[in-house]
Amino acid sequence: MKVSALLSLIPLAAALPGSRWATKDSNGAFGVTAARSGSPIHFLPLTAAGSKFWLGGKSQTYCPEVVPNCAQGTNDTIIYAHNALDVIVPGGQSIYVDRTGALSFTTPHSGYIPPGSSQGPFKYTPGQSLGTWTYAGQGASGFMACPAPANSTMAARHVRRQARPTANRWQVFAALQNATVPTGNVNDCLGFEAMAIGLNISSGHLAWEYI
Ligand SMILES: *[C@@H]1O[C@H](CO)[C@@H](O)[C@H](O)[C@H]1NC(C)=O
Ligand SMILES: *[C@@H]1O[C@H](CO)[C@@H](O)[C@H](O)[C@H]1NC(C)=O
Ligand SMILES: *[C@@H]1O[C@H](CO)[C@@H](O)[C@H](O)[C@H]1NC(C)=O
Ligand SMILES: *[C@@H]1O[C@H](CO)[C@@H](O)[C@H](O)[C@H]1NC(C)=O
């Protein structure tokens, strides 16, 4: 994107002390860890990367060099207000379920959500120590994790399956029977509970944006 456009947004964020970009105080921010005992996804963290969500692996955050003092606040995926990524970038980043059923997030500086997507309801229920995060749109009961090849070509998928099954990763979908999943078979997916860990976090410890 154009540097000038980015710079023009900085005063806006700075001028809103009472806004969601200001310091937060136990205000609905949380991280998510999967629970499905006896499975390979148990206790894997939810990560945002490439406009989609995964279990395990690394979140993809970005901090533009042109933003003054833009320290990389976190490499974790932090959610805010039920259905948004907790970011500093003006305009924020929303979470939705795309038409294939994949849990997705909007790109920075664009609120664009493709037609056929579902915007919820998503719900964060805080707990004493652990809360939950759920999605109940389209009659779904929460989320499922589907094996996804690390390399998207069919040939490589086959090779990696044989040689290095750990190279696979888990992509997060809404738990829908008609989801279009990477292996083509929804029975390959594992439903899980999204355990939510409430965070009291200040803006200095947020990602600028997820990409
Ligand atoms: C959240 O953090 C702030 C700043 O560190 C602190 O003053 C406040 O007491 C904390 N709130 C809770 C509920 O822990
Ligand atoms: C995030 O990862 C980058 C690159 O590995 C590192 O430089 C940075 O210190 C990390 N930030 C935090 C808050 O851990
Ligand atoms: C999948 O099923 C749900 C629930 O029946 C429905 O709301 C949704 O439109 C379906 N999605 C597609 C892509 O067919
Ligand atoms: C994926 O596999 C193809 C074919 O084997 C290879 O050319 C490509 O570099 C691989 N991509 C990644 C990201 O590993």
Side-chain angles (χ1 to χ4, degrees):
M1 75 168 291
K2 276 197 261 164
V3 169
S4 56
L6 182 62
L7 287 174
S8 71
L9 296 170
I10 292 165
L12 174 67
L16 294 166
S19 80
R20 51 160 308 216
W21 296 309
T23 302
K24 297 184 174 64
D25 184 16
S26 191
N27 54 2
F30 59 96
V32 169
T33 298
R36 165 107 186 196
S37 57
S39 82
I41 62 171
H42 199 39
F43 292 151
L44 288 183
L46 182 79
T47 55
S51 295
K52 302 295 175 198
F53 288 88
W54 314 85
L55 294 183
K58 288 178 111 172
S59 305
Q60 261 175 37
T61 59
Y62 183 66
C63 208
E65 279 171 28
V66 294
V67 176
N69 305 316
C70 189
Q72 184 58 48
T74 186
N75 290 318
D76 295 329
T77 293
I78 300 172
I79 300 174
Y80 173 74
H82 304 289
N83 66 342
L85 286 166
D86 206 353
V87 290
I88 298 169
V89 66
Q93 293 184 265
S94 303
I95 299 174
Y96 64 95
V97 171
D98 77 10
R99 67 193 311 164
T100 71
L103 189 64
S104 309
F105 60 93
T106 58
T107 56
H109 310 292
S110 160
Y112 181 70
I113 292 177
S117 301
S118 160
Q119 292 187 67
F122 292 95
K123 186 166 170 50
Y124 166 50
T125 308
Q128 281 290 47
S129 50
L130 282 178
T132 56
W133 186 49
T134 55
Y135 166 76
Q138 304 174 75
S141 57
F143 304 103
M144 62 185 181
C146 305
N151 188 320
S152 59
T153 71
M154 286 304 286
R157 181 184 300 185
H158 183 70
V159 169
R160 288 197 180 228
R161 269 272 170 85
Q162 305 288 314
R164 278 200 294 151
T166 51
N168 284 352
R169 50 187 186 163
W170 297 89
Q171 187 178 351
V172 177
F173 285 77
L176 292 165
Q177 273 306 313
N178 60 1
T180 305
V181 303
T183 61
N185 184 353
V186 80
N187 295 324
D188 292 339
C189 305
L190 297 173
F192 66 90
E193 184 178 359
M195 297 188 299
I197 299 124
L199 301 168
N200 181 18
I201 196 162
S202 68
S203 53
H205 295 99
L206 297 177
W208 176 266
E209 67 191 27
Y210 294 86
I211 54 172

